[in-house]
């Protein structure tokens, strides 16, 4: 079974929404949704969560990591090395990623929220500019 299928079964059994599970695991609702779809719509390949994400999922389910890994399909891809250099990033992006990795869990939540807020503000600003151009 793929990790997304396990999450969905767990949520349904315990009457949890995606947001409830996201809150329990510390993983975004959007990513939970991606995992539950199992396959990346672009590549048609199974979504590959990292070991830290799988650990967070196991904790949310009240399981040990090893026990959850034993339930996964042998075709479930997993990203083992999350600290590998991101070749496609420019220097500023690499520095931001390095800084983000140094944050504790609370700092990561705050940073994520700040980035989401900035992205929404940027979207709104661009929409206003587009509307004014019409």
């Amino acid at each position: 079974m793929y990790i997304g299928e396990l999450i969905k079964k767990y949520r349904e059994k315990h009457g949890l929404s995606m947001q409830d599970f996201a809150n329990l695991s510390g993983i975004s609702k959007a990513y939970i949704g991606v995992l539950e779809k199992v396959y990346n719509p672009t590549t048609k390949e199974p979504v590959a969560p990292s070991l830290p994400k799988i650990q967070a999922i196991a904790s949310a389910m009240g399981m040990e990591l090893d026990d959850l890994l034993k339930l996964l399909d042998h075709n479930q891809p997993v990203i083992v090395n999350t600290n590998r250099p991101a070749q496609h990033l420019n220097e500023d992006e690499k520095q931001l990623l390095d800084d983000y990795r140094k944050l504790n869990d609370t700092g990561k939540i705050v940073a994520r929220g700040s980035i989401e807020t900035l992205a929404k503000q940027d979207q709104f600003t661009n929409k206003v500019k587009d509307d004014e151009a019409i």
Side-chain angles (χ1 to χ4, degrees):
M1 190 172 290
Y2 289 98
I3 190 113
E5 296 168 317
L6 289 171
I7 293 169
K8 189 169 187 173
K9 283 180 83 172
Y10 181 87
R11 285 192 319 96
E12 289 172 349
K13 180 179 178 182
H14 293 89
L16 298 171
S17 68
M18 277 190 201
Q19 186 60 58
D20 293 334
F21 192 82
N23 293 342
L24 283 173
S25 65
I27 299 171
S28 74
K29 177 183 170 186
Y31 191 62
I32 298 298
V34 168
L35 290 172
E36 286 191 7
K37 289 180 184 166
V38 178
Y39 295 95
N40 179 321
T42 305
T43 66
K44 309 295 187 230
E45 296 291 323
V47 177
S50 66
L51 277 178
K53 295 284 189 216
I54 296 172
Q55 174 63 62
I57 292 164
S59 294
M61 293 179 170
M63 301 175 71
E64 294 294 323
L65 175 62
D66 289 346
D67 295 330
L68 179 59
L69 289 172
K70 289 175 188 173
L71 296 174
L72 296 180
D73 189 279
H74 71 280
N75 291 326
Q76 170 69 65
V78 175
I79 297 171
V80 177
N81 182 4
T82 59
N83 290 322
R84 67 186 186 282
Q87 302 298 332
H88 63 283
L89 300 178
N90 67 37
E91 290 306 312
D92 286 339
E93 292 167 329
K94 287 178 186 176
Q95 183 60 52
L96 283 170
L97 185 57
D98 287 342
D99 291 344
Y100 179 81
R101 287 181 175 147
K102 294 174 188 172
L103 296 172
N104 63 25
D105 289 343
T106 302
K108 287 178 181 177
I109 291 168
V110 171
R112 186 176 297 124
S114 298
I115 291 168
E116 288 171 358
T117 299
L118 289 169
K120 286 177 185 175
Q121 286 174 340
D122 189 52
Q123 275 183 323
F124 178 76
T125 301
N126 289 336
K127 179 167 179 16
V128 169
K129 286 179 184 176
D130 291 344
D131 289 347
E132 288 173 351
I134 294 176

